[in-house]
Amino acid sequence: MTAPETSELEVLIVGGGPTGVTLALELAVHGIRFRIIDKEEQRSDKSRALGVQPRTLELLNRHGDVQKLISQGNLSSGTTFYLNGKKAADVDISGLAEDTAFPLILIISQCQTEAFLDECLGKYGFAVEHGLEARSIVQDPDGVTVTLSHPNGVEETVRAKYVVGADGAHSIVRRAATGLAFEGAAYPQDFILCDAHIRDPRISWNRFSLCMGRGSLAVFPLKDGTVRVVASRMGPKVDADPTLEDFQAMFNQLHPDAGELYDPTWITQFHLHHRGVNSYRDNRLLVAGDAAHIHSPAGAQGMNTGIQDSVNLGWKLAKVIRGERPDSFLDSYDRERRPIGQNLLETSDKMFTWGCSANPFFVSFRNVMFTWVLPWFVSSRNRRANIYKFISEFGINYRDSSIVGTSSGFSGPVMGGDRVPDRKVRNLGEEKYFQELITPDTHHLVIFSGVGEHSAQMKTVLEAQSVLKDNNPDRAKIHIIFDESTDTEGVPGYIDIAGRLHKNFGFSQPSYVYIRPDGYVEHIGLLSKINEFSEWLR
C-alpha cells in the first residue's frame, strides 16, 4: 500500500536519539518545518551513554531547566585510578571551572537524558515519530525525496529541502550519499557490560573508578544505588555469554572490597569500532553524531559530540532555509565540526589503547607509568585543568573557521570562535547567569562598558547601541553589561557582579561580543573598532 500524497518539509531528521532530538530542538526554536523519525517503535530501556559533559549541560539548558535532569543523576567530581587492586591516583576536577553554572560531569542513564530531551521537544509542540523507517533516499539539485515505511506497511513519500542522518553507525542517510566514506576498523578487544545493584559498597558515589591490571574495569555509580560495570577481559571464553560471576571475579581482582554485585538488570557483550566520515555534508544530505563518527567510550565524549554537532548545524540550516545565508554556508558545518570529530577519534583511540591494550610489554610499561608518573602528573592543578578542558568540552573552539572573526588590536582570552564564558549578572536586584540571556533563537550583540577608569561614558555606550540597532541584519538581541561602578541612570542593562565577566572576556576597555545562536563567539573586539564589526556584518 502507498499513501497518495507527498508531504513537503524543510528538514527531515532520520534518527530520534539524543543527536536527532537536539537538532529538532534547534530547528523548532527557529520555526523551521521539520519531522523527526525513528525506525524503532519505542525507545530502548537499556542505557548506552552515561556521561553528560558540562558544555552539553550548558547547551541543553537553553531549551529546558537542566537542573531537573541533574537531580536524577550523580554529579561526578573526578576519577579514581586503581592498579592491580590498589589505588594509584585520584583526579579531582572540582573547582577547576569558575565560569560556568555546570562545572561537574553528570552520570545518568541515556534513557533519562532522552526523556528530558523529549520533554523539551514536546514544549515546542513536536515529538519523535517512532516506527517510521526511511527506505529510500534520493537527492537532486532542488531537494530530497524520501520513502518512509510505516509499521502497518503503508509507504509515504516525503519531499524535503535537506535530510539529516542522526541514525547511527549504520546510517541509511550516509549510505544514500554518493560522496561519503566511513573509514576505520573494529577494536580487537572483547567487552562486557553489567548494570547491577551492589551490596556493602565501598566506592565513592561522586567518583567513577578506572581499574587496570590483568584486563581493565570501569565502575560508574548511578543515582538509584546501582552501578554500571564495563570490563575488557584478557583471554575471554569463546562463545560464552558473560555472567554476573564474571563481573564479580574481575571486581575482586581489580577493585577488591568495592562490594558484592547482585540482582543485575542488564548484562551484555559487545565490540567497539573507530570510524569517521570524510565529510559531514553531501549536498542536501548531512550526517551528525554516530552517523559521522564512532569511537571508544574513553572520555565519555560520544553522545556529547553528537549533541554538539546538532547545536552547530541547527541554526545554520535555519539561516539557509530562510534565505539569510547562501547554501554554501552549510559547508561551515563540516569545516567546524569534522576537525572536532577527527581529534576525538585520535584522542579517544590513544586513551583506549592506554587503558585496554592486551600487549604484555605495553601493559608492563603502563603499570610503571601508573605507579610512578600518574600520581605526580595529576598533583598539578594546571595539568588537571588541561584534562578537564578536554573532557568537559569547554576547550572546543572554532577559531580557524572562516565565519568567525576578531577585530584588530584585541587579544583577550576569548577570541572569535570560542565558547562564551558564564558568570552571574544582576538586574533590578535579581541575579542570573549571563548565558541565560543568550537564547538559541537568534544572534546576540553584547556591549560591555569596560571597568574602572577605562569604562565608557553612558553616552558612548548608547551611541554604539544606536549604531548597531541600525545595522542588524541578523535581528540580534542587544544587551548591555555594565561595570558595578557605572551609574546606569535607569538605562536597561545588567551589572557584571565583581567584574568577573569582563575579566573572563578580557574586557578592561569598552568592548563588544557578537554571539551565535549556538553560544560561540562570531565576532569580538574593542568598542572603538565597531566600524570593523559593521563591515563584518555586511
Side-chain angles (χ1 to χ4, degrees):
M1 293 185 292
T2 304
E5 296 185 359
T6 298
S7 59
E8 297 282 344
L9 298 171
E10 290 171 326
V11 179
L12 175 66
I13 304 169
V14 181
T19 298
V21 178
T22 300
L23 180 58
L25 290 169
E26 299 297 317
L27 295 178
V29 80
H30 285 279
I32 300 301
R33 288 186 295 112
F34 72 91
R35 288 172 66 183
I36 175 170
I37 66 168
D38 195 282
K39 67 179 180 180
E40 301 299 331
E41 295 193 20
Q42 61 184 16
R43 291 205 179 279
S44 171
D45 62 352
K46 301 296 187 289
S47 174
R48 277 97 44 213
L50 280 183
V52 184
Q53 298 296 346
R55 180 55 176 157
T56 303
L57 293 173
E58 286 186 339
L59 294 170
L60 295 185
N61 198 52
R62 295 148 64 246
H63 294 288
D65 183 3
V66 84
Q67 289 292 351
K68 293 181 179 179
L69 181 65
I70 291 172
S71 69
Q72 301 173 51
N74 273 344
L75 286 173
S76 174
S77 58
T79 308
T80 302
F81 289 89
Y82 292 85
L83 179 62
N84 294 322
K86 296 181 179 180
K87 183 176 177 179
D90 194 52
V91 182
D92 185 6
I93 64 170
S94 58
L96 293 179
E98 298 178 344
D99 63 342
T100 180
F102 309 106
L104 300 180
I105 301 166
L106 177 64
I107 305 299
I108 192 169
S109 159
Q110 182 175 324
C111 304
Q112 292 168 291
T113 302
E114 289 173 342
F116 173 79
L117 290 168
D118 285 343
E119 180 182 349
C120 292
L121 188 59
K123 292 176 182 176
Y124 292 124
F126 294 91
V128 177
E129 298 179 57
H130 285 280
L132 270 68
E133 183 174 2
R135 293 285 191 178
S136 170
I137 301 174
V138 180
Q139 67 169 319
D140 57 59
D142 299 317
V144 188
T145 302
V146 184
T147 301
L148 304 180
S149 175
H150 289 251
N152 60 3
V154 170
E155 288 192 342
E156 173 189 1
T157 301
V158 171
R159 182 73 176 165
K161 291 181 179 178
Y162 297 94
V163 173
V164 180
D167 48 343
H170 304 289
S171 170
I172 187 174
V173 177
R174 189 186 64 243
R175 295 201 301 268
T178 57
L180 304 187
F182 201 43
E183 299 174 347
Y187 288 108
Q189 290 89 342
D190 154 273
F191 290 88
I192 56 176
L193 178 152
C194 174
D195 288 345
H197 295 79
I198 184 168
R199 186 178 288 116
D200 300 325
R202 296 184 183 178
I203 57 175
S204 297
W205 289 93
N206 66 339
R207 291 277 201 280
F208 57 90
S209 304
L210 297 179
C211 313
M212 312 295 174
R214 183 168 174 76
S216 59
L217 184 78
V219 182
F220 302 91
L222 303 177
K223 180 79 170 184
D224 57 1
T226 62
V227 294
R228 166 162 295 181
V229 183
V230 182
S232 173
R233 299 174 291 179
M234 302 281 281
K237 301 174 184 177
V238 179
D239 298 327
D241 293 332
T243 65
L244 185 64
E245 288 71 26
D246 293 328
F247 289 94
Q248 188 64 54
M250 293 200 70
F251 232 52
N252 295 342
Q253 175 192 352
L254 298 178
H255 202 346
D257 301 323
E260 179 185 356
L261 300 172
Y262 73 99
D263 192 15
T265 57
W266 188 28
I267 294 178
T268 189
Q269 186 172 4
F270 60 95
H271 285 85
L272 295 171
H273 296 253
H274 51 110
R275 299 181 186 276
V277 75
N278 61 320
S279 176
Y280 283 22
R281 182 189 186 198
D282 178 35
N283 297 315
R284 294 184 176 272
L285 304 180
L286 302 103
V287 290
D290 285 356
H293 45 77
I294 55 174
H295 44 81
S296 88
Q301 303 289 293
M303 179 184 72
N304 296 273
T305 304
I307 286 173
Q308 292 180 45
D309 286 345
S310 291
V311 172
N312 183 282
L313 175 60
W315 71 276
K316 295 175 179 178
L317 277 169
K319 287 287 186 185
V320 172
I321 289 168
R322 290 197 299 255
E324 297 169 12
R325 298 287 194 279
D327 177 80
S328 59
F329 186 67
L330 289 175
D331 292 338
S332 69
Y333 168 58
D334 174 71
R335 290 196 298 266
E336 290 186 346
R337 291 304 299 174
R338 189 158 55 93
I340 305 298
Q342 289 174 326
N343 180 64
L344 176 59
L345 282 169
E346 294 169 2
T347 306
S348 63
D349 189 55
K350 291 175 182 176
M351 293 169 65
F352 178 84
T353 301
W354 181 262
C356 298
S357 175
N359 183 300
F361 296 103
F362 184 87
V363 169
S364 297
F365 172 74
R366 181 197 66 194
N367 291 352
V368 170
M369 295 289 287
F370 261 59
T371 302
W372 301 105
V373 178
L374 183 63
W376 164 81
F377 187 83
V378 300
S379 66
S380 163
R381 189 182 191 279
N382 287 339
R383 288 191 289 266
R384 291 200 312 276
N386 287 333
I387 296 172
Y388 173 81
K389 194 174 182 181
F390 168 76
I391 296 294
S392 67
E393 302 197 342
F394 284 155
I396 289 173
N397 71 75
Y398 308 124
R399 288 188 178 188
D400 294 333
S401 174
S402 62
I403 63 168
V404 303
T406 302
S407 72
S408 60
F410 182 78
S411 58
V414 176
M415 307 289 277
D418 284 351
R419 161 190 169 263
V420 171
D422 202 13
R423 288 286 192 171
K424 282 191 173 182
V425 294
R426 184 172 61 246
N427 175 257
L428 300 177
E430 179 184 353
E431 294 184 3
K432 63 168 56 180
Y433 276 96
F434 174 66
Q435 286 190 11
E436 294 179 50
L437 307 179
I438 312 304
T439 54
D441 56 330
T442 188
H443 278 72
H444 295 261
L445 177 59
V446 189
I447 300 171
F448 284 77
S449 67
V451 295
E453 62 182 16
H454 299 293
S455 62
Q457 297 289 327
M458 183 62 66
K459 178 182 177 182
T460 302
V461 172
L462 294 180
E463 285 177 350
Q465 182 186 38
S466 177
V467 168
L468 295 168
K469 277 184 178 179
D470 293 337
N471 181 22
N472 191 3
D474 288 318
R475 300 181 300 280
K477 295 178 182 178
I478 300 178
H479 314 273
I480 304 176
I481 306 295
F482 294 104
D483 178 42
E484 280 189 313
S485 63
T486 304
D487 181 3
T488 60
E489 301 176 3
V491 176
Y494 291 84
I495 299 297
D496 180 14
I497 299 173
R500 296 187 183 100
L501 197 57
H502 277 80
K503 182 178 180 181
N504 284 131
F505 274 106
F507 289 160
S508 59
Q509 300 181 58
S511 304
Y512 70 89
V513 59
Y514 196 53
I515 302 171
R516 309 185 330 183
D518 62 354
Y520 286 85
V521 175
E522 179 164 323
H523 209 274
I524 190 170
L526 300 174
L527 205 57
S528 60
K529 301 289 186 178
I530 198 69
N531 290 337
E532 287 187 25
F533 173 60
S534 296
E535 286 297 321
W536 170 271
L537 289 176
R538 294 193 184 100

